[in-house]
């Protein structure tokens, strides 16, 4: 005969086991992505032109408002708007040649603070990470910024002229482009964010540029480097984050990327031939899925950015158009057909990033 106390313990253990099994067998379903009310377009502006700007497009009225940051704050955004993210209730705008990250309210764009880190910082790209933001800088550092204090908490040495950055778990992967050096770099720094230090460099193709993560794999694009090797053809490098080694290369020249439901969207524009390609890669098998994403004949003159609305899969492509001319943003559905376009005339030069306000 089982004692009552022992029986109670057995029942409690069984219940605990059942709850544990239920949690493992049926993980919580993530909340669906809310539809966007509108979108922001970050316009890079000309280098040393001090004409970076933010445009806002309202979906309900189909109206675009240029110089939205200037209207909200009575001052220009700065020189060379390089990247931006929305994280929580804030938007973080990287203004490269002004050596700052502007923190604004994502709804009103009212300035909250400007984060700086020395005259040679030259911030480039930004990603969120556990209540902080990580920013690469041409000073060869990855800056860790606390979003509660708006302070640079630490800087971590990586390689020369770092560009893109992505995270997997507590690891950051920083692309070292080599930038203005006669010989560009060819590595990705693996940074242990718990330790606050670089632990490894992974060799990829020369002149690497951007990086994106999907299901534990990292995709690194590289750009042409004809001044180093005349006939050099860049490829996309696939890194396995489990062992931090190169798993594969894909025969495509790439630039910026966006990933949606195991599809990677990227583009390449050749200043030599003045031709571009916008393609799709299946990240399940790491092979080319579509050689030409656009199926209705819409012409993109100089692609300069690509982003995806995760609530509906719409693909937004920023078109630089031509030097000194205002840009255009095109919206395509998943079949590659144009839904609408947004003219950024007269103030939106070099659009490079689309952010969705939900």
């Amino acid at each position: 005969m089982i004692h009552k106390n022992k029986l109670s313990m057995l029942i409690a253990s069984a219940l605990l086991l059942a709850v544990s099994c239920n949690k493992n067998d049926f993980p919580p379903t993530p909340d669906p992505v809310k539809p966007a009310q509108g979108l922001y377009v970050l316009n890079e502006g000309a280098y040393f032109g001090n004409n970076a700007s933010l445009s806002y497009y309202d979906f309900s009225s189909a109206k675009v408002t240029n110089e939205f940051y200037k209207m909200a704050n009575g001052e220009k955004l700065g020189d060379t708007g390089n990247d931006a993210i929305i994280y929580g209730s804030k938007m973080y705008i990287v203004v490269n040649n002004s050596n700052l990250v502007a923190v604004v309210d994502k709804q009103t764009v009212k300035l909250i603070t400007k984060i700086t880190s020395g005259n040679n910082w030259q911030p480039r790209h930004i990603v969120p990470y556990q209540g902080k933001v990580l920013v690469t800088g041409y000073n060869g550092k990855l800056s860790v910024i606390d979003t509660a204090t708006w302070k640079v908490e630490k800087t971590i040495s990586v390689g020369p002229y770092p560009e893109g950055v992505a995270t997997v778990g507590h690891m950051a992967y920083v692309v070292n482009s080599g930038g203005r050096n006669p010989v560009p770099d060819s590595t990705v720094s693996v940074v242990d964010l718990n330790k606050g230090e670089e632990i490894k460099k992974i060799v990829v193709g020369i002149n690497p540029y951007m990086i994106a993560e999907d299901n534990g794999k990292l995709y690194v694009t590289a750009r042409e480097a004809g001044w180093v090797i005349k006939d050099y053809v860049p490829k996309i490098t696939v890194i396995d984050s489990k062992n931090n080694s190169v798993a594969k290369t894909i025969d495509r020249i790439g630039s910026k990327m966006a990933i949606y439901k195991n599809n990677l969207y990227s583009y390449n524009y050749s200043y030599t031939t003045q031709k571009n390609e916008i393609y799709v890669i299946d990240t399940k098998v790491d092979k080319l899925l579509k050689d030409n994403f656009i199926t209705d004949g819409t012409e993109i003159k100089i692609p300069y950015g690509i982003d995806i609305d995760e609530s509906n899969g719409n693909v937004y492509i920023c078109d630089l158009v031509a030097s000194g001319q205002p840009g255009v943003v095109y919206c395509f559905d998943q079949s590659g057909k144009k839904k609408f376009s947004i003219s950024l005339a007269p103030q939106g030069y070099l659009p490079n990033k689309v952010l969705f306000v939900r």
Side-chain angles (χ1 to χ4, degrees):
M1 182 175 179
I2 300 176
H3 193 275
K4 285 186 178 180
N5 288 340
K6 287 185 177 180
L7 181 60
S8 299
M9 290 175 65
L10 286 171
I11 293 171
S13 298
L15 288 172
L16 182 60
L17 181 62
V19 170
S20 300
C21 289
N22 285 338
K23 285 183 178 179
N24 291 332
D25 294 342
F26 305 100
T29 303
D31 293 333
V33 179
K34 294 180 181 178
Q37 306 163 8
L39 60 83
Y40 294 112
V41 180
L42 177 62
N43 302 300
E44 183 179 303
Y47 190 59
F48 279 113
N50 195 34
N51 60 348
S53 66
L54 200 67
S55 300
Y56 178 71
Y57 179 81
D58 183 86
F59 284 124
S60 61
S61 65
K63 178 184 176 183
V64 63
T65 304
N66 286 311
E67 292 285 7
F68 202 75
Y69 177 92
K70 185 178 179 181
M71 289 173 59
N73 297 291
E75 63 179 24
K76 292 183 177 181
L77 179 57
D79 196 335
T80 320
N82 208 71
D83 197 8
I85 58 170
I86 290 176
Y87 189 31
S89 61
K90 311 294 189 299
M91 177 162 52
Y92 298 79
I93 309 171
V94 177
V95 192
N96 170 242
N97 207 36
S98 292
N99 279 297
L100 62 86
V101 174
V103 184
V104 304
D105 182 278
K106 76 172 183 181
Q107 297 289 348
T108 66
V109 191
K110 282 286 187 181
L111 181 66
I112 297 169
T113 190
K114 293 178 181 179
I115 302 169
T116 58
S117 187
N119 291 331
N120 67 338
W121 186 18
Q122 293 286 297
R124 298 294 294 174
H125 295 281
I126 182 170
V127 294
Y129 173 74
Q130 296 183 4
K132 306 178 191 301
V133 293
L134 310 177
V135 181
T136 59
Y138 269 178
N139 60 352
K141 308 284 187 182
L142 177 68
S143 296
V144 181
I145 298 172
D146 190 323
T147 59
T149 64
W150 319 120
K151 302 292 183 184
V152 177
E153 183 177 276
K154 67 178 74 170
T155 58
I156 303 166
S157 294
V158 287
Y161 297 97
E163 290 278 7
V165 55
T167 62
V168 179
H170 65 279
M171 298 293 184
Y173 295 80
V174 179
V175 177
N176 302 309
S177 72
R180 302 162 191 165
N181 293 340
V183 178
D185 203 280
S186 60
T187 64
V188 171
S189 290
V190 184
V191 175
D192 187 321
L193 294 167
N194 288 343
K195 295 179 179 178
E197 62 183 30
E198 178 193 79
I199 61 170
K200 183 178 182 179
K201 276 190 170 75
I202 303 170
V203 177
V204 293
I206 63 173
N207 202 22
Y209 179 44
M210 296 301 293
I211 187 166
E213 184 272 338
D214 192 37
N215 294 319
K217 293 186 292 185
L218 296 136
Y219 296 82
V220 183
T221 58
R223 296 187 286 188
E224 295 175 342
W227 72 95
V228 181
I229 302 175
K230 184 179 179 181
D231 299 323
Y232 173 68
V233 180
K235 297 181 179 182
I236 294 176
T237 303
V238 184
I239 295 173
D240 185 345
S241 67
K242 293 178 182 176
N243 52 28
N244 289 329
S245 63
V246 174
K248 191 175 184 178
T249 58
I250 302 171
D251 291 331
R252 265 300 182 274
I253 303 173
S255 187
K256 293 180 179 176
M257 297 171 281
I259 295 176
Y260 178 75
K261 292 187 175 179
N262 298 311
N263 285 341
L264 183 152
Y265 300 75
S266 188
Y267 59 87
N268 173 57
Y269 175 79
S270 172
Y271 285 90
T272 303
T273 63
Q274 296 186 339
K275 293 181 179 179
N276 68 70
E277 55 181 7
I278 300 165
Y279 54 85
V280 185
I281 290 171
D282 184 337
T283 60
K284 296 189 297 294
V285 294
D286 295 331
K287 291 183 178 180
L288 185 69
L289 182 65
K290 294 181 182 179
D291 190 59
N292 189 358
F293 165 67
I294 298 173
T295 57
D296 63 359
T298 301
E299 181 186 4
I300 305 294
K301 293 182 179 178
I302 306 178
Y304 207 59
I306 187 164
D307 293 282
I308 295 178
D309 184 347
E310 292 186 357
S311 70
N312 53 27
N314 287 343
V315 180
Y316 290 79
I317 299 174
C318 298
D319 189 349
L320 184 153
V321 180
S323 178
Q325 292 187 27
V328 178
V329 174
Y330 293 89
C331 174
F332 296 88
D333 64 21
Q334 279 288 297
S335 70
K337 292 182 171 59
K338 187 180 85 169
K339 299 184 73 173
F340 61 90
S341 62
I342 306 169
S343 171
L344 303 170
Q347 299 103 332
Y349 299 103
L350 283 75
N352 64 12
K353 184 74 178 179
V354 174
L355 304 103
F356 304 96
V357 188
R358 305 189 192 281

